[in-house]
Each structure stands twice: as C-alpha cells, then as structure tokens.
C-alpha cells in the first residue's frame, strides 16, 4: 500500500480523493483535461428511476466563498445511465466508480440501486438521502432517523455492493442519523450534502434561484463539515467519507484527522477543473511538512 | 477546454459602464466566434462567463459591462496583472449556413461576440450587414471598430440620439441568414420577425461553464441542453420561444 492509499469498504483506493456527485458529471468533461484514473474514484451524477429535467433556471447563485445550487437532480434516468453513460465511461475510467442514487420513495431507491448494483463498473452505491433541492423525497429521508433507517435497510436487502448513506447537514443531530444508517446495514456514511440556503436579488426583490432555496457548498461550509465528520466518526464504527468545501491538500488532511477515511471534492472542481489532480500531486509534500508518513495513520487522530 | 493564466496588456473604458480588456497568451489556441471564456475574478468564488470579442495572434479581447462585483473587479485590472481563464468554451456560431448576405445583430452587452464573428466572416470573403442596438448615444461603443470590418453598419438607439430611432427590428433588411446576441426582449422580437435561418446566443447563470454541473440547462426541441457546452449558440428551430 502506498503512502496515499486508503481502504473503503474492502476496496483499496490509490488515494482518498473522490470528486463528489453532481460536480463531475459522468467524468468525460474532465477526461478531456487529464487522465481521470489518477483519482481514488469518483461519484457520478445523482441517478433516479426516471429521467429528470430538474428545476427551472437560474439554478446557480454565488455567495461569499461558495455557491448555491438548485439543479434538482437533472439526470437521464437509470436505464440511460446503464445503457449510455457507463459504456462511455468505461473508455476513460478503469477503476470501480461510485454510483450516486436518489429517489422519491423507498421503492424508487430500491429499484435504481438494485439495477446499478449489477453493473460491474460500480464499486459502491452512495445513497443520497440528503438532496435539498427536490420536493417529496431526497432530504426528507435524511432528516429523520426512522425514515433513514427504513430506506437504507430496504436498499440493503436488495443489493450486494458496499452501501454508503449520504447524509444531510440540515439536522440538529447528524450522529443520530448516521447511527440509524449503520444499524440499517450501511457499510459507510458520506457527509455533508449541501446546507439549505437562499439569496435575494436586491434589484428585483426576488429570490435569485427559480427554486427559491438551494444548497450551499464550497469553502464556506468547510468548518461545519469538519465538525460533523468528527461527530459522526465518534458515533459509528463504519468508515466515514468527508466532504464539504474541501479545496486543498491541507483540507484533505484536516478532514481525515477529523475522521474521514476518504474525501470527496465538489464545488472546487467547478471553479478549478484541475483541483483534484493538483491535490493528489501536492499531498506527499504537505504530508512531509506535517510529519505524516501514511494517510491511513491519521484517520480520526484528532481526539 | 483549456485553462490558462493570461496577462493583461490593456484596459480601456469605452463608455460609463463598458470596458475593453486585452489579454495575452492565447497563441496556438483554437478559439471560435460565439465561444466564451470563464474568468476568475478577485474576491469571487465563481468564474464570470464573457464572450470572445476578438482573438488574434496572441491577444484575446473581451468587452464587458460592469454590472456587479465580478465585472467591477475585471474593470480594475491593470497592465501586467495575471488573469486565470478557462478558454475554448461552448459551441460557437456555425459560419457555413449563413449564405451570401448575413445579418449580425447585437444589442447592448450582447454586441461583443458579433465583432469576432464579423471578422471571421470577412476572412471568408463574406461582408455581413451589422445592426447594433443601444439605448442612447452615451452608451454606444465599438461603432468605428465594426465600420473597419464592414461597409454596412447600422446603429439604432431607443431615444434616437444616435443612428436610427428605435430598436434593431426597425433596421432589419433582406438577408440569407442571421446571428443575434442581446437582451431577451430583443432576441424574442427577432425570433418572431425573421424568417431566414437564425442562430441565437443565449445567457444563463453558470456554475462551471464546461458542462459538469447541469447548472445552465434549458429545454429545447431536441431535448435538454446545457447552455455552456451544447450552446451558447442555438438554432432558431431548436428554441421553445413560441409563447
Ligand atoms: C455565454 C455568456 C457570454 C457572456 N458574454 C458577455 C460579454 O461579452 N459581455 C458582457 O458584458 N457580459 C457578458 N455576459 C454576461 C456576464 O457573464 C455577466 O454580466 C457577469 O457574469 C456578471 O457578473 P458580476 O459579478 O459583475 O454581476 P453579479 O450580478 O454580482 O453576479 C452574480 C452571479 O450571477 C452571475 N450572473 C449575473 N448576470 C449574469 C448574466 N447576465 N449571465 C450569466 N451569469 C450572470 C455571475 O456570473 C455571478 O455568478 C455573458 C454571459 C454568458 C452566459
Ligand atoms: C452543482 C451541484 C450538484 C450536486 N448534485 C448532487 C447530486 O446529484 N447528488 C448528491 O448526492 N450530491 C450532489 N451535490 C452535493 C455534493 O456532492 C457535495 O455533497 C456538496 O456540494 C458539498 O461538497 P463541496 O462543498 O465540496 O461542494 C451537488 C453539489 C453541487 C454543487
Ligand atoms: S454551467 Fe455547469 S453545466 Fe453549464
């Protein structure tokens, strides 16, 4: 095992760097720029049972050190993902990929997850119970421990691959939700999804986003994410994937010290498309600076 | 798409709110008319999409209106400053299908991409008629630059203080094809009026500008399309603007 490698539910990753769902499409835009096989893996765009257009535009707003999005899970639907996106991805990415799954009912989640579970390219299923931008689903599963338990155990019963529950920060006790997912059979948890926010255009006095509210991400949320990763790591015994505002090798190390076994990077890919390979390249140097031999030594080291 | 650190070689104020920025460092790039760049600005998280106004040799020209924090920061750049830019973004205009006598129609801050388009058409031996729409004389810019490229440049102002009084639709003439960029009311009026093949350049709020985030998607007759990657140029027959 190399200095950067980490293990995620029995699968070894060359490094902990994972582009987050919704900010990396199905990888092709980035494959035009660099060899995306340098990544640990990546989480592809949130996939649902049926194709979705998503929300009307504007879907994007800016904020100090971050952005709000209200994309609303635009995706071609699980059948098209399997028929078109995965074969195309196979040409450019040769590692197991993380499949990000969303839904509006327990049955939806089970349906989509069990289809993706059968795809050999899929290494992990990341179940998004935390999307703040859709109504009647998504986040409503991730803000109540009972609902989270119900959806995760139903999916658990239907799939073989490692199951990751992606958690919402829009709760008072994220550790309780994480525990409920662990009890339901999740192999790992990933956090945080975006924080519910809103901006108003002073000229028109109207919300900037057509959806009125959107999810905040980027460096603005980093300290919130570190705190939640820390709390969740102490509450569960399954691996934690940390994300939220990570933009540098230092941030990756901080997340891992808080308890993350791997780290997802979202919004940063949108403003600096080379951010992931840059972080991977810089990690050894930054580790040297802080006297870290292997990344796996520092997971949850902060007490 | 390419990412480059370009150097500011000149900044010029054109009107009260319009600025021209010349950046060096694009030698060897393949930049098409109708494409845009996405500029990192001091103090702002997201980049700012700006059309290519000209690309010649090593120099990229951007012309923009100061409307908020990002464009304000761009207007304060000075010679020698670095500018982190994503280039070769978007599809660009199709130059093949405009026929012998195309019309180029730009309104307000939508005028800049017409300049590079006019120059590229001229290199192909096609001299377009250019129609530029402004509100008032003090907001007019780039008229002389366009006159140096085309013998047929018409200016309209809403208040009649320069050129024809009225809107770009009051200056239309027979043509074999049209290209338009400007405010939505102008584009929709052209959509209704023109019967020739038309290409419209659209704007949408963007997260990435290169197709990764689905932040800029619109519905078209041929399905969901990202303005940043599948556009920003769309053919009239693809747009759902009937209402
Ligand atoms: C493909 C494309 C090409 C463009 N070309 C030009 C050009 O050549 N010249 C020019 O003057 N303007 C152009 N614009 C508009 C320009 O992008 C906006 O005026 C600019 O982003 C405003 O930034 P700001 O920080 O000054 O304003 P703010 O209002 O403070 O910006 C806040 C946020 O909203 C976004 N935003 C605001 N207005 C627009 C808009 N009209 N379109 C897209 N995003 C917007 C900003 O990018 C930023 O993320 C273009 C837009 C697009 C999409
Ligand atoms: C444009 C955009 C789209 C997103 N789409 C999804 C999605 O489809 N599924 C999902 O689980 N998370 C989605 N997210 C959330 C991110 O994966 C991530 O959890 C969040 O943005 C926090 O990380 P960051 O601060 O590094 O962006 C999206 C985020 C952004 C910015
Ligand atoms: S702005 Fe990200 S896909 Fe168009």
């Amino acid at each position: 095992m190399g200095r950067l490698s980490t293990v995620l539910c029995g699968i070894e990753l060359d490094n902990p760097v994972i582009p987050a769902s919704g900010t990396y499409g199905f990888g092709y835009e980035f494959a035009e720029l660099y060899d995306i096989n340098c990544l640990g893996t990546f989480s592809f765009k949130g996939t649902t049972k049926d194709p979705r257009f998503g929300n009307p535009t504007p879907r994007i707003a800016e904020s100090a050190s971050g952005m709000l999005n209200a994309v609303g899970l635009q995706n071609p639907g699980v059948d098209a993902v399997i028929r078109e996106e995965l074969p195309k991805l196979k040409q450019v990415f040769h590692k197991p990929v993380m499949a990000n799954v969303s839904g509006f009912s327990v049955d939806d989640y089970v349906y989509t997850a069990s289809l993706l579970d059968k795809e050999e390219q899929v290494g992990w299923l990341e179940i998004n119970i935390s999307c703040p931008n859709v109504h009647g689903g998504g986040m409503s599963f991730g803000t109540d421990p009972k609902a989270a338990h119900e959806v995760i155990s139903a999916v658990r019963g239907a799939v073989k691959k490692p199951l990751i529950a992606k958690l919402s920060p829009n709760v008072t006790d994220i550790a309780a939700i994480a525990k409920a997912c662990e009890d339901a059979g999740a192999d790992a948890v990933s956090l945080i999804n975006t924080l519910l926010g809103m901006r108003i255009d002073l000229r028109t006095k109207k919300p900037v986003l057509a959806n009125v509210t959107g999810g905040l991400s980027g460096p603005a949320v980093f300290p919130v994410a570190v705190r939640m990763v820390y709390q969740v790591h102490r509450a569960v015994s399954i691996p934690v994937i940390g994300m939220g505002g990570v933009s540098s090798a230092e941030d990756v190390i901080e997340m891992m010290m808080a308890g993350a076994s791997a780290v997802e990077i979202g919004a940063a890919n949108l403003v600096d498309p080379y951010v992931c390979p840059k972080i991977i390249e810089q990690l050894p140097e930054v580790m040297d600076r802080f006297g870290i031999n292997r990344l796996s030594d520092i997971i949850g080291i902060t007490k | 798409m390419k990412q480059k650190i370009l150097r500011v070689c000149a900044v010029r104020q054109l009107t009260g709110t319009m600025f021209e920025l010349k950046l060096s460092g694009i030698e060897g790039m393949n930049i098409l008319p109708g494409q845009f760049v996405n500029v990192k600005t001091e103090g702002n998280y997201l980049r700012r999409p700006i059309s290519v106004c000209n690309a010649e040799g090593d120099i990229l020209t951007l012309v923009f209106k100061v409307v908020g924090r990002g464009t304000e920061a761009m207007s304060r750049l000075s010679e020698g400053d670095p500018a982190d830019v994503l280039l070769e973004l978007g599809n660009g205009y199709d130059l093949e299908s405009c026929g012998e006598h195309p019309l180029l129609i730009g309104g307000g801050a939508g005028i800049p991409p017409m300049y590079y388009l006019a120059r590229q058409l001229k290199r192909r031996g096609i001299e377009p008629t250019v129609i530029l729409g402004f509100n008032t004389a003090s907001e007019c810019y780039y008229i002389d630059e366009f006159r140096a490229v085309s013998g047929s440049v018409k200016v309209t102002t809403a208040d009649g203080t320069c050129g024809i009084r009225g809107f770009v639709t009051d200056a239309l003439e027979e043509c074999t094809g049209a290209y338009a960029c400007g405010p939505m009311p102008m584009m929709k009026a052209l959509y209704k009026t023109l019967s020739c093949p038309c290409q419209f350049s659209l704007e949408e709020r963007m997260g990435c500008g290169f197709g990764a985030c689905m932040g800029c998607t619109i519905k078209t007759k041929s399905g969901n399309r990202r303005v940043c990657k599948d556009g920003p140029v769309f053919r009239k027959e693809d747009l759902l603007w009937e209402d």
Side-chain angles (χ1 to χ4, degrees):
Chain A
M1 273 183 53
R3 289 183 76 191
L4 303 188
S5 62
T6 186
V7 177
L8 193 56
C9 313
I11 305 176
E12 189 183 324
L13 303 181
D14 294 336
N15 61 67
V17 175
I18 306 174
S21 179
T23 62
Y24 212 74
F26 287 88
Y28 333 124
E29 279 76 25
F30 295 86
E32 283 174 28
L33 298 179
Y34 60 88
D35 180 2
I36 64 174
N37 292 289
C38 71
L39 303 167
T41 178
F42 77 91
S43 181
F44 64 58
K45 177 64 198 172
T47 297
T48 52
K49 182 169 175 252
D50 300 312
R52 282 181 56 82
F53 170 72
N55 291 319
T57 58
R59 296 174 172 184
I60 302 288
E62 197 181 45
S63 75
S65 298
M67 62 179 285
L68 291 135
N69 90 83
V71 170
L73 295 174
Q74 182 190 338
N75 79 93
V78 66
D79 292 336
V81 166
I82 289 172
R83 202 176 54 239
E84 287 157 31
E85 309 291 348
L86 289 183
K88 266 205 276 175
L89 178 61
K90 206 174 192 157
Q91 312 293 314
V92 291
F93 191 61
H94 315 303
K95 294 179 170 180
V97 71
M98 193 179 285
N100 185 278
V101 175
S102 261
F104 298 87
S105 67
V106 172
D107 290 347
D108 274 7
Y109 279 102
V110 169
Y111 178 89
T112 307
S114 37
L115 287 179
L116 289 165
D117 187 51
K118 295 188 188 79
E119 294 301 310
E120 56 146 330
Q121 282 163 274
V122 171
W124 310 258
L125 294 155
E126 183 179 53
I127 309 299
N128 175 9
I129 52 168
S130 45
C131 182
N133 297 325
V134 295
H135 304 282
M139 193 168 87
S140 57
F141 288 101
T143 49
D144 169 32
K146 273 203 213 86
H149 189 281
E150 188 194 354
V151 67
I152 296 298
S153 50
V155 175
R156 174 75 289 166
V159 303
K160 296 198 182 65
K161 299 246 163 89
L163 193 61
I164 302 165
K166 181 161 176 180
L167 308 182
S168 171
N170 302 304
V171 294
T172 38
D173 185 0
I174 195 164
I177 312 274
K179 283 245 21 101
C181 293
E182 181 180 36
D183 292 344
D187 300 296
V189 286
S190 62
L191 59 139
I192 56 175
N193 206 317
T194 54
L195 282 145
L196 199 56
M198 177 175 173
R199 294 299 310 268
I200 296 168
D201 183 331
L202 302 189
R203 283 165 286 208
T204 62
K205 306 181 181 66
K206 290 188 180 139
V208 172
L209 297 168
N211 188 52
V212 182
T213 59
L216 175 66
S217 62
V221 310
F222 182 69
V224 176
V226 171
R227 183 263 294 179
M228 289 188 158
V229 166
Y230 176 83
Q231 289 176 326
V232 167
H233 175 70
R234 308 190 124 214
V236 298
S237 47
I238 49 178
V240 178
I241 304 173
M243 79 189 96
V246 174
S247 321
S248 65
E250 285 85 349
D251 293 348
V252 168
I253 290 173
E254 190 168 338
M255 270 293 177
M256 295 187 80
M257 287 180 168
S261 295
V263 175
E264 292 190 34
I265 295 172
N269 291 298
L270 307 180
V271 290
D272 178 3
Y274 288 98
V275 69
C276 287
K278 271 188 208 157
I279 288 176
I280 295 164
E281 196 190 305
Q282 283 162 7
L283 268 169
E285 202 179 298
V286 179
M287 287 161 67
D288 288 345
R289 183 145 42 91
F290 294 102
I292 299 161
N293 182 21
R294 290 164 181 276
L295 282 180
S296 53
D297 297 339
I298 61 161
I299 298 169
I301 201 165
T302 303
K303 296 294 176 223
Chain B
M1 192 227 315
K2 301 233 164 59
Q3 181 177 23
K4 287 255 155 128
I5 307 296
L6 305 180
R7 285 275 154 203
V8 174
C9 41
V11 191
R12 180 162 69 107
Q13 185 160 7
L14 303 174
T15 70
T17 54
M18 295 299 302
F19 286 76
E20 179 195 64
L21 182 61
K22 288 191 184 283
L23 301 161
S24 67
I26 59 158
E27 190 77 68
M29 301 198 67
N30 181 28
I31 296 173
L32 310 171
Q35 285 189 325
F36 65 99
V37 302
N38 217 357
V39 187
K40 185 104 193 82
T41 61
E42 178 74 37
N44 299 301
Y45 190 64
L46 296 174
R47 292 169 181 269
R48 298 298 188 263
I50 303 289
S51 302
V52 173
C53 176
N54 198 16
E56 198 160 294
D58 195 40
I59 307 290
L60 173 75
T61 307
L62 305 178
V63 168
F64 59 91
K65 182 176 179 175
V66 172
V67 297
R69 292 160 48 115
T71 45
E72 146 78 15
M74 284 170 65
S75 73
R76 277 188 275 104
L77 288 169
S78 47
E79 203 185 322
D81 284 348
D84 176 345
V85 177
L86 304 180
L87 304 107
E88 298 180 354
L89 302 176
N91 56 354
Y93 299 110
D94 173 8
L95 275 63
E96 306 295 334
S97 61
C98 66
E100 312 257 281
H101 183 57
L103 271 186
L104 272 49
I105 308 156
I111 288 170
M114 293 303 151
Y115 183 67
Y116 189 36
L117 177 61
R119 291 179 63 104
Q120 292 291 315
L121 286 170
K122 186 155 192 199
R123 281 181 56 176
R124 293 168 170 237
I126 300 169
E127 194 166 292
T129 291
V130 180
I131 305 174
L132 306 175
F134 302 96
N135 287 316
T136 187
S138 63
E139 292 179 11
C140 292
Y141 66 94
Y142 253 58
I143 296 173
D144 293 339
E145 282 83 350
F146 275 99
R147 292 216 158 109
V149 186
S150 167
S152 172
V153 177
K154 299 190 202 175
V155 174
T156 69
T157 48
D159 64 0
T161 46
C162 180
I164 302 163
R165 175 193 291 270
F167 302 103
V168 292
T169 39
D170 298 313
L172 295 176
E173 57 179 63
E174 282 293 307
C175 64
T176 54
Y179 301 88
C181 184
M184 271 317 258
M186 175 194 114
M187 306 253 267
K188 289 208 171 161
L190 291 170
Y191 178 90
K192 282 205 187 106
T193 318
L194 292 168
S195 53
C196 60
C198 301
Q199 297 176 45
F200 292 93
S201 197
L202 307 194
E203 272 185 6
E204 205 47 81
R205 297 222 172 199
M206 293 183 175
C208 64
F210 54 89
C213 73
M214 306 293 145
C216 63
T217 309
I218 58 162
K219 284 184 181 154
T220 71
K221 281 184 196 147
S222 38
N224 301 337
R225 292 285 178 269
R226 294 160 300 180
V227 169
C228 71
K229 177 98 177 184
D230 310 309
V233 179
F234 292 89
R235 288 177 190 280
K236 183 181 174 185
E237 53 275 25
D238 273 337
L239 294 169
L240 294 164
W241 283 358
E242 266 81 35
D243 47 294

